[in-house]
Amino acid sequence: METKTPPISFSIGKIICSFFGHRFRVSNIITDHIREYKCDCCGEELTDTANGVVAKLTPRFRETNAFLAKIHERRSKRVLSEAS
């Protein structure tokens, strides 16, 4: 049986970031305290976690952030409508 090896992903951006560091920018604002970041050079994505640590944006974190954004949007709309 032949085993498959994963393809090696080569990126100039990853090499540049390994030497000079990442250039992260905010790519998505989830709530007032949680944001998603993306490196302009290599495309690596990070997010703020519930305990204030920045971690890699995994599919689980992406799903959690989408849920939090939905809740935050509903609450923001409710507060605005109650203030009127």
Side-chain angles (χ1 to χ4, degrees), residues 24-67:
F24 288 108
R25 64 174 174 78
V26 176
S27 61
N28 194 5
I29 299 173
I30 306 300
T31 67
D32 296 336
H33 304 289
I34 299 176
R35 289 168 171 62
E36 292 178 355
Y37 307 94
K38 186 172 185 177
C39 178
D40 287 334
C41 196
C42 69
E44 184 174 347
E45 295 178 314
L46 301 176
T47 186
D48 296 321
T49 61
N51 54 358
V53 179
V54 177
K56 282 193 175 189
L57 187 61
T58 61
R60 186 172 188 158
F61 276 129
R62 192 179 303 273
E63 182 180 335
T64 303
N65 286 351
F67 184 72

Side-chain angles (χ1 to χ4, degrees), residues 76-84:
S76 297
K77 285 181 181 178
R78 187 175 66 203
V79 169
L80 287 174
S81 66
E82 289 176 0
S84 298

Side-chain angles (χ1 to χ4, degrees), residues 1-6:
M1 204 164 30
E2 185 178 325
T3 59
K4 293 184 179 181
T5 58

